[in-house]
Amino acid sequence: MAAVTVGQVALLGRLHVPRAVTGVHTVKKRQSSTNLANVPRGRGGRSSFSGHVVTVFGASGFIGPKLVNRFGKNGSKIIIPYRNDPYRVQHLKLASDLGQIQFLPFHLQEEDTIRKALQYSDTVINVINKDHPTKCFTLEDVHVTGARTIARLCREEGVTNLVHFSHLLASPEPKQLFSSEGTEYLRAKYEGELAVREEFPDAIVFRPSVMYGSSDRFLRRYIFLGQGKRSEYKVRFWKGGKETIKMPLFGSDVVDGVMAALERPESRGQTYEAYGPDSFYMVDLIKFFNFCLRRNLDGVEDYRQIDLLKMKHVDPYNPFSSYKFQNLYTLEQESLSEKPTGLPSLEDLGVKLTKIQDRARYELKPARVDNYYDEQLGQFADCADPPTVAEVESSKGKPPPDFNVFGARM
């Protein structure tokens, strides 16, 4: 027990002294055999230590908790930097045994705090993401300057593995549909990839598509739009959702890909495109979500000019605003079609992808209308799976299948 205490003190209790000589920063060489904190112990699992120390930037987001839970399951010591209220991240302490997860306040523009968070880590995950500028940070500050700083400090501190998250639609010249605000985010994501590659050439970059799962913003948006509505209502989407193709990705599949990439030395320096197994038109997904929710959807229509004006002049992040799930910054991202470019995918890492039609029913179940009715009584019919893009294209010219109010094919 005394050795464990010494290891924990050696991990986070020591003061960091910058190793600078005439302004040139030397790269630190890790020697785990001489550091008690890096000696594996235990049988494996959450109540043991695997010998790996992992720092997760952005652990309070959508993917962050899933990564923390997976590393905690493997017995890794986890460092979670945070800049908001400590109560926003304290629930992550349950992902591992007592003392295995350490919380450290940091600021993205203060290098000393970042260096302190990763100076003992051999693996660093950067999942910091913001799709709109704030009072303190611009999109360039977060996705370009901040990503470059983390990558550079990882190289200087001798970090072995760096995983950086980008976006499937990241491009130097993204397609513009509504305004330049949304394309600014995708352009910053692309420039952030280049910055990370320049500072840390062996970094592993993931480009995920739209993701869903627990506490996501994809399924939850459609729960919010029709919340409390019993009569028929309409959902608005660009071009009625008939020209937008999405490849929804289950969040846990991305985590499987990260763990598989870290176990493969040949993955260093690679860029992986993470997307779901099937492609869907958004109009079919929206209908499927409402059928799962047992709501009376009247149809999917294009945006009106007044809708765009409201998104421009109404604060989208006001908790009482009906546009908190949709604004000019996210409008471009959700309206652009997702298409792979041929880079290695999650399937190349051996990940078995989850289909959204198999998972959405479970994720949407708590928000269903008349949820107190027993399913086994047959009060409501089961909704059919949404047609994929290939099925829609092959059935052109044929009459579409009829759906009743709850989505069962007649």
Side-chain angles (χ1 to χ4, degrees):
M1 185 63 68
V4 177
T5 305
V6 172
Q8 294 175 351
V9 172
L11 175 63
L12 292 176
R14 295 184 299 177
L15 294 177
H16 171 67
V17 180
R19 295 170 293 281
V21 180
T22 64
V24 179
H25 210 100
T26 59
V27 177
K28 180 180 178 181
K29 294 183 179 180
R30 305 295 177 87
Q31 297 189 13
S32 59
S33 60
T34 60
N35 190 349
L36 293 177
N38 292 338
V39 177
R41 52 186 177 269
R43 299 180 178 180
R46 300 185 191 272
S47 297
S48 63
F49 179 51
S50 63
H52 297 288
V53 183
V54 183
T55 299
V56 181
F57 290 94
S60 60
F62 171 66
I63 291 295
K66 298 176 176 57
L67 288 167
V68 171
N69 180 63
R70 191 66 60 87
F71 283 114
K73 184 178 180 180
N74 293 344
S76 299
K77 190 176 290 293
I78 307 170
I79 301 175
I80 300 179
Y82 67 94
R83 64 173 294 268
N84 47 20
D85 195 288
Y87 291 104
R88 297 284 297 273
V89 294
Q90 70 172 0
H91 63 281
L92 299 176
K93 185 181 295 185
L94 302 176
S96 188
D97 205 355
L98 183 64
Q100 286 290 91
I101 297 182
Q102 304 291 338
F103 299 94
L104 189 68
F106 92 110
H107 196 281
L108 195 58
Q109 296 173 342
E110 298 179 3
E111 293 190 7
D112 291 340
T113 60
I114 299 177
R115 193 187 303 275
K116 186 177 181 181
L118 55 80
Q119 62 178 334
Y120 298 109
S121 301
D122 57 81
T123 301
V124 175
I125 314 291
N126 182 13
V127 289
I128 297 178
N129 182 58
K130 206 68 175 178
D131 54 16
H132 67 283
T134 62
K135 297 180 180 179
C136 300
F137 297 93
T138 64
L139 292 176
E140 184 178 358
D141 292 337
V142 176
H143 301 298
V144 184
T145 307
R148 179 187 294 275
T149 301
I150 293 176
R152 175 173 55 83
L153 295 180
C154 286
R155 173 174 51 82
E156 294 175 355
E157 291 295 326
V159 173
T160 305
N161 300 305
L162 170 62
V163 179
H164 176 76
F165 272 71
S166 182
H167 196 281
L168 183 63
L169 299 176
S171 171
E173 294 296 335
K175 184 178 180 181
Q176 180 176 335
L177 300 178
F178 295 97
S179 62
S180 59
E181 285 85 350
T183 57
E184 181 185 353
Y185 167 77
L186 299 175
R187 188 179 297 108
K189 277 293 189 180
Y190 176 80
E191 294 175 358
E193 283 188 39
L194 300 182
V196 170
R197 286 283 182 225
E198 182 179 346
E199 298 292 344
F200 201 105
D202 289 338
I204 305 173
V205 177
F206 281 88
R207 292 180 174 179
S209 63
V210 58
M211 293 180 286
Y212 66 94
S214 178
S215 302
D216 68 348
R217 290 196 303 176
F218 183 56
L219 299 178
R220 285 350 181 239
R221 174 174 175 259
Y222 297 100
I223 294 177
F224 174 80
L225 289 178
Q227 198 168 22
K229 295 183 179 179
R230 288 277 184 165
S231 59
E232 293 187 355
Y233 67 100
K234 295 180 180 180
V235 172
R236 303 194 182 277
F237 200 91
W238 181 71
K239 299 294 185 180
K242 298 178 180 180
E243 297 184 13
T244 301
I245 298 175
K246 291 296 181 182
M247 307 179 71
L249 176 67
F250 188 43
S252 295
D253 292 344
V254 186
V255 180
D256 293 338
V258 171
M259 303 305 294
L262 292 175
E263 295 176 356
R264 299 185 179 188
E266 61 271 18
S267 295
R268 296 180 182 177
Q270 292 287 340
T271 299
Y272 293 96
E273 291 182 332
Y275 47 85
D278 299 316
S279 302
F280 302 93
Y281 285 107
M282 275 305 303
V283 61
D284 296 320
L285 285 178
I286 294 174
K287 291 180 180 179
F288 174 66
F289 296 157
N290 282 271
F291 292 155
C292 291
L293 292 168
R294 298 174 178 172
R295 294 176 181 172
N296 300 325
L297 181 66
D298 189 30
V300 183
E301 294 185 348
D302 197 0
Y303 290 111
R304 300 170 298 179
Q305 192 63 31
I306 189 173
D307 297 323
L308 301 179
L309 289 176
K310 287 181 179 179
M311 294 180 195
K312 183 177 181 180
H313 296 288
V314 177
D315 183 9
Y317 297 97
N318 182 345
F320 301 102
S321 171
S322 60
Y323 291 93
K324 69 177 182 178
F325 282 104
Q326 189 177 54
N327 51 79
L328 290 179
Y329 287 96
T330 60
L331 204 58
E332 297 280 350
Q333 306 164 39
E334 71 174 18
S335 301
L336 292 174
S337 296
E338 297 174 343
K339 184 178 180 181
T341 61
L343 292 174
S345 63
L346 294 180
E347 293 181 334
D348 297 325
L349 292 171
V351 178
K352 185 178 180 181
L353 300 177
T354 304
K355 295 184 177 182
I356 189 172
Q357 52 266 42
D358 297 333
R359 186 71 188 182
R361 294 179 176 88
Y362 171 80
E363 298 291 343
L364 297 173
K365 184 177 180 180
R368 290 186 309 185
V369 177
D370 296 331
N371 204 11
Y372 47 85
Y373 281 97
D374 193 345
E375 292 184 77
Q376 297 180 355
L377 296 179
Q379 182 76 16
F380 304 105
D382 294 332
C383 58
D385 292 339
T388 63
V389 172
E391 293 175 349
V392 172
E393 296 297 331
S394 62
S395 63
K396 281 187 176 180
K398 302 178 182 178
D402 294 329
F403 290 88
N404 66 5
V405 69
F406 295 124
R409 294 188 177 182
M410 303 297 288

